[in-house]
């Protein structure tokens, strides 16, 4: 997946909810043995962030299964009362990041 060069992706609400892990703007879950279990996102310098005016707390990314390769990204403003304000990687998931910054997450 190639995002727009130097784009800004601001999430105002959580798309995925979990009573045990907290909410997330988006989740990566690729654990089917019949397909490739890796998703690659080249953010091309884009910002992926929780809207600071959002009414609820949620992290930006959660990896629940398979591997996420995330490159050239800024992940920021995630906030969650569970582990992983910006990014959470569960057992069974993996994350490879390059040329990226994770900042201002709580």
């Amino acid at each position: 997946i190639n995002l727009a060069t130097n784009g800004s992706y601001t999430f105002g609400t959580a798309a995925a909810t979990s009573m045990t892990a907290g909410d997330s703007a988006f989740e990566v879950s690729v654990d089917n043995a019949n397909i490739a279990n890796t998703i690659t996102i080249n953010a091309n310098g884009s910002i992926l962030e929780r809207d600071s005016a959002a009414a609820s707390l949620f992290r930006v990314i959660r990896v629940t299964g398979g591997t996420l390769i995330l490159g050239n990204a800024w992940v920021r403003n995630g906030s969650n009362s569970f582990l992983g304000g910006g990014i959470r990687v569960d057992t069974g998931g993996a994350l490879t990041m390059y040329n990226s910054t994770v900042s201002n997450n709580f």
Side-chain angles (χ1 to χ4, degrees):
I1 299 169
N2 290 304
L3 301 182
T5 301
N6 299 320
S8 182
Y9 298 85
T10 303
F11 305 99
T13 59
T17 60
S18 170
M19 294 298 292
T20 59
D23 299 341
S24 305
F26 68 92
E27 290 189 5
V28 174
S29 180
V30 184
D31 55 9
N32 186 330
N34 297 317
I35 60 174
N37 64 352
T38 300
I39 294 176
T40 301
I41 299 174
N42 180 3
N44 288 309
S46 290
I47 297 168
L48 307 172
E49 67 181 341
R50 177 186 156 271
D51 187 341
S52 59
S56 64
L57 301 180
F58 57 90
R59 78 180 53 82
V60 179
I61 301 169
R62 180 177 176 206
V63 182
T64 62
T67 300
L68 171 62
I69 300 172
L70 179 64
N72 304 304
W74 289 80
V75 178
R76 64 185 193 192
N77 297 332
S79 187
N80 200 300
S81 56
F82 295 85
L83 297 174
I87 300 173
R88 176 181 171 138
V89 180
D90 293 344
T91 301
L95 172 67
T96 299
M97 292 180 68
Y98 62 92
N99 298 331
S100 297
T101 300
V102 179
S103 65
N104 297 327
N105 296 284
F106 303 95

